[in-house]
Amino acid sequence: MSATPGPSYPQTGRTTPTRHRERAAYDRATVHAILDADWICHLGFVADGAPVVLPTIYARVGDRLYLHGSTGSRPLRAAGQGAGTAGRPEGSGADDGAGDAPDAAPEDGLRVCVTVTVADGVVLARSAFHHSVNYRSVVAHGTAHRVTDPAERARALDAIVDAAVPGRSADCRPATPKELAQTAVLRLDLAEVSAKVRQGGVADDPGDLSLPHWAGVLPLTRSFGPPQPDPALAPGTPLPPYLPAP
Amino acid sequence: MSATPGPSYPQTGRTTPTRHRERAAYDRATVHAILDADWICHLGFVADGAPVVLPTIYARVGDRLYLHGSTGSRPLRAAGQGAGTAGRPEGSGADDGAGDAPDAAPEDGLRVCVTVTVADGVVLARSAFHHSVNYRSVVAHGTAHRVTDPAERARALDAIVDAAVPGRSADCRPATPKELAQTAVLRLDLAEVSAKVRQGGVADDPGDLSLPHWAGVLPLTRSFGPPQPDPALAPGTPLPPYLPAP
């Protein structure tokens, strides 16, 4: 399956929920908006027959996800070596390896599931049973490949930095070729992907509405606090406009 | 391997990082503190040989994780049927199923990886290469089993509600036996588990310190906003003390 231009991703058995199908969405606008709302994902792969889930950071660029190689040298090596990484010492490109060896041959890429979850609130119903969570999530299945082209890797890393802090990639020293060679990036083409969204209020049973318990939604937000300057920052260095005021 | 009392979880090959080993921790205090700091996890399992990662909510109780059955009826059915669920219609207990059938026999439980990630900040270095993320994460490997005892399931669901909103489980209508029977819970004993923590400031190369780019840490926090009352709430219903003031 390849990602073809169009309004929606094709629905497959794997991306069809068995429950709450009304919460599922496949249109690019919904999927992309959720992916663009976050920059931390959970990367799943299979190692020695068992599942492994590791957090890493990512950015969406068109119909591709780029994942930073902070999830261990072994999964990244398994996802493919190329000219850009030839001769690298073992594990030199990964930031955060766990001791897992995925079940994949390097030339085949790495079978992955990438999941992004944005929590928007806790729904407090009068009944324990109807408590719920407002959330937006995307689950993407596919085969990830290591990005071997240095220019594509540089663009991907810029996109990842800007996904967390828009505007930052243009305001730092770019990576040197040597640094770039030490930074692994995984690419996953968005093809078999779905969104799931729960929004809204309390859905209590009618018979519970007169109970004395408070009911409603607790909104949940993630935000940046005041920037904490590096102690070595030269006095007078201005706070850039893309950062929140202290 | 079983969870035995003691200060630390045993380190295994799977929980030994290949990179940044100084960030890994195995002591219960660190692992439990991270698990107790969140209530959303990512549950990984293998379905048809491929990884699947789904978000769900959880609570830690001692050396056990309880996961809410909001991740699909099929993984939960695969994790075991018991007396408490006999005769249930297919999928009736799951809130949020994806179309995946895990590779596990019901009687064997479900091989899982449960990962919790708390993001604490973005580290903005002068060089693109040294940008980083402050985070605390826990990765737990093991075999999850469906909780079949109704009393244990009720306690687990209370713990999950209280993990998100401490004090709430005592201030709502408890689940009826019928509702309990429709709510699936997975249990994972903490045995093969590790934490990984990155905290602190910028680690730029000495030669970059004089560059004009702002450097420092952007702290990241998740917080509840003002409670939004259900429109059907009886006038005068007080806001309980465990919720943030509007």
Side-chain angles (χ1 to χ4, degrees):
Chain A
M1 185 186 305
S2 63
T4 52
S8 287
Y9 294 104
Q11 184 176 346
T12 70
R14 189 185 298 277
T15 60
T16 301
T18 54
R19 299 274 298 167
H20 281 303
R21 293 192 182 190
E22 78 284 0
R23 295 182 181 174
Y26 305 90
D27 63 285
R28 276 179 167 71
T30 299
V31 169
H32 291 184
I34 295 169
L35 291 172
D36 295 353
D38 206 342
W39 45 274
I40 298 172
C41 66
H42 282 80
L43 168 67
F45 57 91
V46 180
D48 297 330
V52 178
V53 179
L54 299 174
T56 190
I57 53 178
Y58 75 94
R60 180 188 70 86
V61 178
D63 268 318
R64 285 182 170 171
L65 289 186
Y66 288 107
L67 282 68
H68 188 265
S70 62
T71 56
S73 56
R74 279 176 251 186
L76 285 158
R77 286 206 308 282
Q81 298 277 5
T85 57
R88 294 176 51 245
E90 175 167 316
S92 66
D95 178 57
D96 195 18
D100 303 296
D103 299 343
E107 62 271 23
D108 295 333
L110 178 67
R111 190 68 196 263
V112 301
C113 180
V114 177
T115 299
V116 172
T117 305
V118 181
D120 293 316
V122 178
V123 182
L124 300 177
R126 295 160 184 85
S127 62
F129 183 68
H130 284 296
H131 276 60
S132 190
V133 177
N134 282 340
Y135 68 95
R136 294 164 283 157
S137 68
V138 165
V139 177
H141 303 272
T143 299
H145 295 271
R146 192 165 178 153
V147 176
T148 56
D149 177 62
E152 183 181 7
R153 193 156 52 204
R155 288 194 303 272
L157 291 167
D158 282 352
I160 291 170
V161 167
D162 286 334
V165 183
R168 177 65 183 182
S169 74
D171 184 27
C172 56
R173 175 178 68 68
T176 65
K178 185 181 172 188
E179 289 172 340
L180 262 187
Q182 291 177 43
T183 309
V185 175
L186 281 180
R187 183 187 69 230
L188 174 66
D189 291 332
L190 293 171
E192 191 172 3
V193 54
S194 61
K196 207 153 191 189
V197 177
R198 199 281 184 204
Q199 301 291 329
V202 177
D204 263 319
D205 296 332
D208 287 335
L209 292 180
S210 59
L211 291 174
H213 309 295
W214 190 91
V217 175
L218 269 186
L220 200 53
T221 54
R222 194 179 66 187
S223 56
F224 286 125
Q228 303 169 340
D230 180 20
L233 200 64
T237 304
L239 191 72
Y242 53 80
L243 294 184
Chain B
M1 184 184 305
S2 64
T4 52
S8 288
Y9 294 105
Q11 185 175 346
T12 70
R14 189 185 296 277
T15 61
T16 301
T18 54
R19 298 274 296 167
H20 281 302
R21 292 192 182 190
E22 79 283 0
R23 294 182 181 174
Y26 305 90
D27 63 284
R28 277 179 165 71
T30 299
V31 168
H32 291 184
I34 295 168
L35 291 173
D36 295 351
D38 206 343
W39 44 274
I40 298 172
C41 66
H42 282 79
L43 167 68
F45 57 90
V46 181
D48 297 331
V52 178
V53 179
L54 299 175
T56 190
I57 54 178
Y58 74 94
R60 180 187 71 85
V61 178
D63 268 318
R64 286 181 169 174
L65 289 186
Y66 288 107
L67 282 68
H68 188 265
S70 63
T71 56
S73 55
R74 280 176 250 186
L76 285 158
R77 286 206 308 281
Q81 298 276 9
T85 57
R88 293 176 51 246
E90 176 167 314
S92 66
D95 179 58
D96 196 17
D100 303 296
D103 299 344
E107 62 272 23
D108 295 334
L110 178 66
R111 189 69 196 262
V112 301
C113 179
V114 176
T115 299
V116 172
T117 305
V118 180
D120 292 317
V122 178
V123 181
L124 300 177
R126 296 160 184 85
S127 62
F129 183 69
H130 284 296
H131 276 61
S132 189
V133 177
N134 282 342
Y135 68 95
R136 295 164 282 157
S137 67
V138 165
V139 177
H141 304 272
T143 299
H145 294 273
R146 192 165 179 154
V147 176
T148 56
D149 176 62
E152 183 182 7
R153 192 156 54 206
R155 287 193 303 271
L157 290 167
D158 281 352
I160 292 171
V161 166
D162 285 335
V165 182
R168 177 63 184 182
S169 73
D171 184 26
C172 56
R173 174 178 69 68
T176 64
K178 184 181 174 189
E179 288 171 341
L180 262 187
Q182 291 177 42
T183 309
V185 175
L186 281 178
R187 182 188 69 229
L188 175 66
D189 291 332
L190 293 171
E192 191 172 3
V193 55
S194 60
K196 209 154 188 190
V197 176
R198 199 281 184 203
Q199 300 291 329
V202 176
D204 263 319
D205 296 333
D208 287 336
L209 292 180
S210 60
L211 291 175
H213 309 295
W214 189 91
V217 174
L218 270 185
L220 199 54
T221 54
R222 193 180 65 186
S223 56
F224 287 124
Q228 302 168 341
D230 181 20
L233 201 63
T237 304
L239 190 71
Y242 54 80
L243 295 184

